[in-house]
Amino acid sequence: MTKKDQLGNFELMVMLVLIRLGDNAYGVPISEELEKRTGRDVAIGSVYAALERLEDKGFVTSELGEPTAERGGRAKRYFHVTARGLKEVRETQRSLVKLWNGLPELEGGKA
Amino acid sequence: MRSERPPALARWLLTHFGCSPNNDAVVGDLNERFQAGRSGGWYWRQASTAIWSSLLADLRMHGMLAIRALAAGWILVITYITFSRKLVTPLVLYLQDRAMRGYPSGWLNDAIWGIEPHWWAYRNYYVYPAAIGAVRIGMAFGAMILIGWIIARTHAPRHRASVLLLVLTFYVITFASLCYELIQAHNASGALLSSIGFVFNVVADSATLAGLWLVHHDPQRGAA
């Protein structure tokens, strides 16, 4: 795994949201889920920048959906996590859990 | 009262200057969330962030192409400035000198022009210089549009990011020139002239974006 393949913080959050949303993962529900889970406003442009980086790394794929009138006739782009992307998320999770374990400052803290 | 349509200017800017390969989907997503109840101010913030983040992402992924676009753009600008100073300015001054001849003499000219010498002065001291000034401004704008068009045509499909980056560097240099001229200005009228020149330069720099728009709407190429 090269340094380029590693997941950044925001990229990891986007990947987790993609896994959570399943087949309905396009820009609007992705950004809404991120805002709901983090309690912060999310820029849709930043979400797409992260998704494009992830697609470039081979961790997600995308496909065009149907255009709708509420979107001004523009199609949705749905994103899906690949097997390689899922494997990368699991490895990142293992690394983070190992780093988190045994830190007295973080044990018993409020979520 | 909230409008039913998203802010037209913000949508236009995002449609034409968003650099993401998924720009169409970004515009669609913002439209969808706006229809769901978001404000115009929210739309503006999102559109501005989308343009900026897509530009940065594109530059990060295609750094060498961006450097090439910058180099090519600045070479074209310097070439135009040199051409303008060495060839066009002497030609313009020659034509101006030919046009602004001395007051014509002779009984026929006296009969024709003698009644209205003010018209001759008005023509030579106001009309001709204004016309020549308009031609030079037109040339400057035309050159910037052409430069934008050339950079956009030669750097597809990354043409938006290439031209936007070039225009940003123009703005930086123009602003730096203003700061320098304001420091050098000795009085209020000098500062005012520098400020007027700054506004003109910013408008001329922005004309480069028209070249990008022309490529975007090239009927042979199809909308990009």
Side-chain angles (χ1 to χ4, degrees):
Chain A
M1 182 178 66
T2 65
K3 190 177 173 186
K4 263 185 114 174
D5 290 341
Q6 290 174 1
L7 285 174
N9 185 37
F10 189 66
E11 288 172 356
L12 177 60
M13 289 165 67
V14 169
M15 290 287 283
L16 291 171
V17 165
L18 287 184
I19 294 169
R20 189 178 287 276
L21 289 173
D23 287 337
N24 193 39
Y26 67 98
V28 171
I30 293 171
S31 58
E32 285 177 341
E33 187 70 18
L34 280 168
E35 283 172 2
K36 185 176 131 193
R37 298 276 169 183
T38 63
R40 283 185 252 170
D41 264 349
V42 169
I44 287 181
S46 305
V47 170
Y48 272 91
L51 286 165
E52 282 149 22
R53 286 196 301 273
L54 290 168
E55 195 166 12
D56 197 51
K57 293 175 187 177
F59 295 159
V60 304
T61 56
S62 67
E63 61 188 13
L64 268 183
E66 291 300 316
T68 60
E70 65 180 341
R71 294 171 62 85
R74 289 177 165 87
K76 300 175 186 176
R77 184 164 280 277
Y78 292 95
F79 292 87
H80 311 277
V81 178
T82 61
R84 191 172 156 209
L86 198 57
K87 182 183 165 199
E88 183 62 31
V89 170
R90 286 200 186 104
E91 282 180 15
T92 305
Q93 180 192 29
R94 271 195 285 270
S95 304
L96 287 173
V97 167
K98 281 183 198 168
L99 285 166
W100 259 309
N101 278 345
L103 287 176
E105 292 88 347
L106 296 180
E107 279 171 9
K110 286 182 185 174
Chain B
M1 195 173 88
R2 186 178 164 276
S3 166
E4 284 184 5
R5 290 185 174 186
L9 180 57
R11 193 180 55 195
W12 187 89
L13 287 171
L14 179 57
T15 302
H16 288 84
F17 300 127
C19 304
S20 167
N22 298 308
N23 199 53
D24 221 41
V26 174
V27 175
D29 288 344
L30 290 189
N31 287 351
E32 189 179 320
R33 290 201 74 176
F34 181 82
Q35 296 300 333
R38 289 291 193 161
S39 69
W42 173 90
Y43 195 97
W44 265 107
R45 284 194 305 276
Q46 289 283 334
S48 309
T49 307
I51 293 171
W52 183 243
S53 59
S54 63
L55 172 62
L56 288 180
D58 197 286
L59 295 177
R60 243 183 264 126
M61 288 182 69
H62 305 277
M64 289 312 296
L65 198 65
I67 291 170
R68 193 185 91 177
L70 267 184
W74 275 101
I75 286 171
L76 287 171
V77 165
I78 292 166
T79 303
Y80 166 71
I81 291 171
T82 308
F83 168 75
S84 175
R85 281 188 186 160
K86 291 221 164 18
L87 290 174
V88 174
T89 297
L91 178 63
V92 164
L93 289 175
Y94 170 75
L95 290 173
Q96 189 170 303
D97 184 59
R98 293 275 299 180
M100 291 170 64
R101 289 182 184 175
Y103 180 61
S105 60
W107 68 268
L108 186 59
N109 283 324
D110 287 341
I112 295 170
W113 305 117
I115 300 171
E116 296 285 348
H118 302 292
W119 182 87
W120 167 83
Y122 178 77
R123 181 195 71 177
N124 281 8
Y125 293 119
Y126 295 103
V127 174
Y128 281 154
I132 288 166
V135 165
R136 295 184 76 168
I137 289 171
M139 278 184 59
F141 275 72
M144 296 310 279
I145 292 171
L146 181 62
I147 288 170
W149 184 85
I150 290 171
I151 298 301
R153 284 301 296 257
T154 54
H155 291 79
R158 314 254 68 88
H159 50 286
R160 289 184 190 185
S162 301
V163 174
L164 277 177
L165 178 66
L166 183 62
V167 171
L168 279 174
T169 61
F170 289 165
Y171 288 154
V172 167
I173 297 297
T174 299
F175 183 70
S177 299
L178 171 70
C179 295
Y180 175 76
E181 284 171 18
L182 286 176
I183 291 167
Q184 297 291 317
H186 297 298
N187 50 40
S189 60
L192 177 64
L193 278 173
S194 299
S195 304
I196 292 170
F198 169 74
V199 170
F200 168 78
N201 285 336
V202 166
V203 175
D205 293 343
S206 305
T208 313
L209 297 171
L212 172 63
W213 185 87
L214 284 172
V215 168
H216 188 72
H217 287 83
D218 185 352
Q220 282 185 345
R221 193 168 172 275

